[in-house]
Amino acid sequence: MTDITFVLKVVFYRSEVGNEPVRDWLKDLPRDDKRQIGEDIKTAQLGWPLGMPLIRKIDKEFWEVRTRLTDGIARVFSTIDGEYMILLHGFIKKSQKTPQNELKTAMSRLGNYKRGTK
């Protein structure tokens, strides 16, 4: 049996009150959507650093995992901290452009994460 070596370990962002919003979001998705998003995140874990079409760099410390679903497009925003990929925010896109409120939510969580780890 071959051991798989992950370049990154995945961790869900946890709010100050202990919520894990990306985990909660994933739980509410259909099984096939969860599976596809999970496969794409696993691909990122195994092959980091990756680029388009799977991973798009948004900012210096901010990336999105891009997943095509049967009925739409999912995005999971993340940051990399050493050997960890922190999943900050996930949503299903309904338009071509990423809504500003989704970006603001992810950036706010990134700020909270950075303040909490220092």
Side-chain angles (χ1 to χ4, degrees):
M1 193 163 171
T2 306
D3 287 334
I4 297 174
T5 303
F6 289 94
V7 176
L8 297 173
K9 298 172 186 158
V10 170
V11 176
F12 290 98
Y13 163 83
R14 183 172 285 156
S15 71
E16 291 176 7
V17 295
N19 297 335
E20 294 177 327
V22 176
R23 186 187 302 265
D24 294 340
W25 170 72
L26 285 168
K27 284 180 183 177
D28 290 338
L29 294 177
R31 176 181 287 170
D32 287 343
D33 291 354
K34 283 188 263 202
R35 183 189 51 74
Q36 187 60 51
I37 293 166
E39 284 179 12
D40 287 347
I41 290 170
K42 185 176 179 181
T43 299
Q45 282 183 273
L46 289 167
W48 188 260
L50 296 172
M52 293 288 280
L54 181 63
I55 304 290
R56 183 169 76 112
K57 188 173 188 174
I58 305 290
D59 198 31
K60 181 180 162 197
E61 302 174 21
F62 191 56
W63 289 266
E64 70 176 356
V65 178
R66 305 157 52 89
T67 301
R68 286 199 174 277
L69 303 173
T70 305
D71 295 327
I73 300 168
R75 296 290 186 257
V76 178
F77 291 118
S78 64
T79 191
I80 305 300
D81 186 3
E83 62 185 26
Y84 294 94
M85 174 185 231
I86 315 308
L87 305 181
L88 300 166
H89 181 60
F91 69 101
I92 304 293
K93 279 181 71 169
K94 296 185 179 9
S95 64
Q96 186 147 359
K97 188 166 175 146
T98 299
Q100 281 299 34
N101 66 319
E102 303 291 359
L103 275 172
K104 285 181 184 177
T105 297
M107 293 299 279
S108 172
R109 290 177 184 164
L110 175 60
N112 291 343
Y113 173 77
K114 287 166 86 176
R115 280 189 297 280
T117 59
K118 299 209 177 200

